[in-house]
Amino acid sequence: SKAIPLRWFALELALEQKATSVGQKVLTFKQCMSVAKALQINDVSLVKVALEFLQDCSLLLFYPDLDLVFTDPQVLLDIFSAIVVKFIGGSFTGSKAEVEKYKKAILSYRDFNKLLDISPGLKDILTCDKLLKIFKIFLIATKVDEDKYFIPVLFPMQDIHTARGEALSAKSSLV
């Protein structure tokens, strides 16, 4: 357990309040700087150190390269869940070739973007590019080609169960 400097704790609380007041749990670094300045924390590098520290304490997620701070990771879970539900629920249509590709859990950038269900207030902050980068960090998506991503959770469960059943059958026949 780490001791949180009082000003950084105040910053974390103020960031949560700001995120709630704008109706989203994601802020840009510029928004975080504005909140920090209101708390008399004016040094950009100190704010970055504070955000990294707060991330190490699991109080928020900070992606300096993407200019994003998540005050609640539930936003990412909700977006990813919506993608899975839309994909598995069959509300995603395409050509026969596309359907075969989807059976392998491989999506193009365009297909991934079609599956995104982001509220209008977040669309400017959470772009498809940024989400794919975050999903790659968490190993939710892996780039397999210039414009294609493998998303293991989209792999059809039937295939996994079939493969498992075949393996169990083979094992029992050896006994």
Side-chain angles (χ1 to χ4, degrees), residues 20-31:
T20 301
S21 74
V22 295
Q24 59 201 34
K25 300 292 183 175
V26 185
L27 300 171
T28 64
F29 183 73
K30 184 178 178 181
Q31 289 172 309

Side-chain angles (χ1 to χ4, degrees), residues 18-113:
K18 172 70 173 177
T20 301
S21 74
V22 295
Q24 59 201 34
K25 300 292 183 175
V26 185
L27 300 171
T28 64
F29 183 73
K30 184 178 178 181
Q31 289 172 309
C32 292
M33 275 306 301
S34 173
V35 170
K37 286 180 180 180
L39 296 171
Q40 306 302 312
I41 308 172
N42 298 313
D43 183 8
V44 172
S45 60
L46 182 60
V47 172
K48 286 182 179 181
V49 169
L51 291 172
E52 288 168 0
F53 179 86
L54 294 169
Q55 177 171 278
D56 289 345
C57 293
S58 300
L59 295 170
L60 52 75
L61 294 173
F62 175 44
Y63 297 99
D65 296 344
L66 302 176
D67 188 39
L68 293 174
V69 174
F70 290 84
T71 60
D72 185 354
Q74 187 65 42
V75 174
L76 290 171
L77 295 172
D78 291 345
I79 291 168
F80 189 65
S81 295
I83 289 170
V84 172
V85 167
K86 204 182 244 188
F87 184 86
I88 293 174
S91 63
F92 189 71
T93 58
S95 70
K96 187 174 181 175
E98 287 176 321
V99 170
E100 286 305 311
K101 187 174 49 179
Y102 304 145
K103 286 182 181 177
K104 297 176 184 167
I106 295 175
L107 296 176
S108 69
Y109 177 90
R110 182 180 55 91
D111 296 335
F112 184 83
N113 201 21

